[in-house]
Amino acid sequence: MYILTFITLCLVLFSARSFLSIPNVYNAASTSFSSLTTTSTSSPGYTTHPPWLLITSSSSSDFQRRLLVRWTWVSLFQHSGIFDHIFAVSSTDPVLLPIIKKENDTFGDILLLDDIKDTTWTANHIKPFEFFKKVTNKGWKGRTYDFVSKVDQDSFVDPVRTWNKYLKGRMRVSGTEEDRLMLSMPHEAFCECPAPQGGFYTLSWDLAKLIARLYDGMEKPENIGQEDCMVGRFPTDAGEQYEFMSMDKEESFDVVGEKGSAIARDWSKDQVERGHLEELENVVFLHQMKEEWKWLAVKDLFDEDGWAPNRSSGGSNLTSLHAHT
Ligand SMILES: *[C@@H]1O[C@H](CO)[C@@H](O)[C@H](O)[C@H]1NC(C)=O
Ligand SMILES: *[C@@H]1O[C@H](CO)[C@@H](O)[C@H](O)[C@H]1NC(C)=O
Ligand SMILES: CC(=O)N[C@H]1CO[C@H](CO)[C@@H](O)[C@@H]1O
């Protein structure tokens, strides 16, 4: 079953143009499959390698979703040179493991946790801490970064706008306590301490390392709470300081509604519906796109300069790296 799926996907891959017509939309950024596997060229200032690692937490058998992610926001924004993107996949399934390794032979973007089962519980409780532990200890391909993010596989993000708006200005300082950063939509009402929304959050490298260490030192890891809250709870309970920076509620939404009319629901306490996606002024992060139609509707609203619908109203200036330099 998995093997069939993978073979089908490989066929699809090598005749990429027919695949849901995704590559056509992004002609300007990267239609060729090879550009996904080559190391992105650095933009001025990041001459050695990108400063930011984004990690999509992906379910082991969801090959198709990983292709969608690679072909949409990752390929669209990768030319910026500010980030590397990988998937974290956990599995102990002897049938699946070799297939995932094959997938990685093609794309080279999978961090495999082969000692952790792929269950809803592991995904929502321990997996992110395990991959933060792994990357902050060993790096990714031996590299370390200034920031690391966890992204859900049903999240669509604009890392360039996020970078320019929140992270770029913090680049020169690193390593001291004041610089510990947690950037996300806040989840405070739910978690009772400054904690992130699990769909997309960014940690300074040292904070990710600290959180992984606190997780590793838990006496009863089986009693661990929900991931989002624990990301805040570990440092808070240990009396460690960190800065919580909130992403803009006017730019981050869940996608709800019916096929053909996707609606944005905000992250206020009451989860207010804000109207159709195209009516939004600007967007950096959309979430809750488990259904493929949502993903495909959303990818048409972004181009390499970010959120496209209201560009004439001035909403997208932060996205282009070149616009300000
Ligand atoms: C996946 O590919 C990358 C790049 O070649 C490599 O660094 C990494 O170790 C591979 N992971 C697995 C699980 O094979
Ligand atoms: C965005 O950029 C365009 C062209 O570069 C400019 O005309 C517009 O005024 C800018 N908008 C804002 C909000 O800065
Ligand atoms: C905020 C804003 O300008 N929204 C506009 C985006 O574009 C749609 C379609 O043109 C308009 O209906 C919105 O008012």
Side-chain angles (χ1 to χ4, degrees), residues 226-294:
Q226 189 81 13
E227 171 222 356
D228 339 34
C229 294
M230 292 309 294
V231 172
R233 191 134 290 291
F234 280 125
T236 302
D237 287 358
E240 300 281 358
Q241 304 288 311
Y242 59 95
E243 177 185 342
F244 189 95
M245 193 191 265
S246 296
M247 291 181 71
D248 193 341
K249 282 197 168 77
E250 300 302 313
E251 295 184 346
S252 308
F253 303 91
D254 283 349
V255 179
V256 296
E258 304 294 321
K259 197 168 180 170
S261 70
I263 290 168
R265 195 172 63 189
D266 74 16
W267 265 83
S268 64
K269 209 157 146 262
D270 301 323
Q271 295 255 282
V272 179
E273 290 191 0
R274 298 287 201 89
H276 293 274
L277 287 183
E278 317 78 63
E279 293 163 13
L280 298 170
E281 193 178 330
N282 223 321
V283 170
V284 288
F285 163 47
L286 290 170
H287 186 230
Q288 294 290 354
M289 287 172 287
K290 292 198 171 42
E291 303 92 331
E292 201 166 280
W293 70 261
K294 286 184 180 171

Side-chain angles (χ1 to χ4, degrees), residues 59 87 103 143 198 305 316 325:
S59 40
F87 295 94
E103 182 188 355
R143 294 172 183 169
D305 290 322
S316 290
T325 51

Side-chain angles (χ1 to χ4, degrees), residues 141-214:
K141 298 192 197 168
R143 294 172 183 169
T144 62
Y145 296 80
D146 295 281
F147 301 99
V148 57
S149 298
K150 182 250 183 173
V151 185
D152 274 345
Q153 67 169 2
D154 63 345
S155 295
F156 196 112
V157 301
D158 174 348
V160 180
R161 190 172 168 90
T162 306
W163 174 263
N164 285 336
K165 189 164 176 177
Y166 302 104
L167 300 176
K168 190 179 178 179
R170 307 181 64 100
M171 272 306 282
R172 255 165 294 277
V173 283
S174 69
T176 60
E177 194 167 85
E178 293 75 47
D179 301 322
R180 286 180 186 162
L181 176 72
M182 189 180 289
L183 169 70
S184 184
M185 293 295 289
H187 218 326
E188 278 160 52
F190 177 60
C191 296
E192 296 163 344
C193 69
Q197 205 271 6
F200 176 38
Y201 59 88
T202 301
L203 306 172
S204 55
W205 194 256
D206 53 343
L207 182 57
K209 198 169 189 149
L210 172 74
I211 289 171
R213 185 155 50 76
L214 293 168

Side-chain angles (χ1 to χ4, degrees), residues 124-139:
N124 293 335
H125 292 83
I126 61 171
K127 186 181 166 191
F129 301 107
E130 292 286 343
F131 65 66
F132 285 139
K133 186 168 89 180
K134 208 160 174 172
V135 288
T136 58
N137 279 339
K138 301 215 166 124

